[in-house]
Amino acid sequence: FSDTADEAAISTPTRPVHFADAGGYVETPVFAHGALPRPSEGVGPAIIEQTSCVVVIGPGDSYAIDGRGNITITLAAAL
């Protein structure tokens, strides 16, 4: 996470999420989209909840949130 996203992670709830590539359940931080700083970036696993959808970022995948709140995900396999 960037410095600002680290602050959001301090009190972030987690939940177990099954990722087959990771071999099973992984404790995964859950973020409210509106509470994340803009811009920010991070590395999965992560869940970003929005009003109309949930974005799942797999272990090792990275994401960036721009100043308008758009989320860009880069898959680890693409790096």
Side-chain angles (χ1 to χ4, degrees):
F1 291 107
S2 68
D3 290 339
T4 53
D6 279 339
E7 294 170 12
I10 292 172
S11 62
T12 302
T14 64
R15 71 173 65 134
V17 178
H18 189 273
F19 293 99
D21 291 346
Y25 286 91
V26 176
E27 275 304 308
T28 303
V30 179
F31 300 99
H33 182 257
L36 288 170
R38 296 180 179 143
S40 64
E41 56 188 28
V43 176
I47 293 175
I48 301 173
E49 295 181 331
Q50 299 181 41
T51 303
S52 60
C53 70
V54 175
V55 178
V56 178
I57 295 100
D61 297 341
S62 62
Y63 65 92
I65 301 173
D66 67 17
R68 292 183 167 195
N70 298 307
I71 303 169
T72 302
I73 301 170
T74 302
L75 302 178
L79 297 176

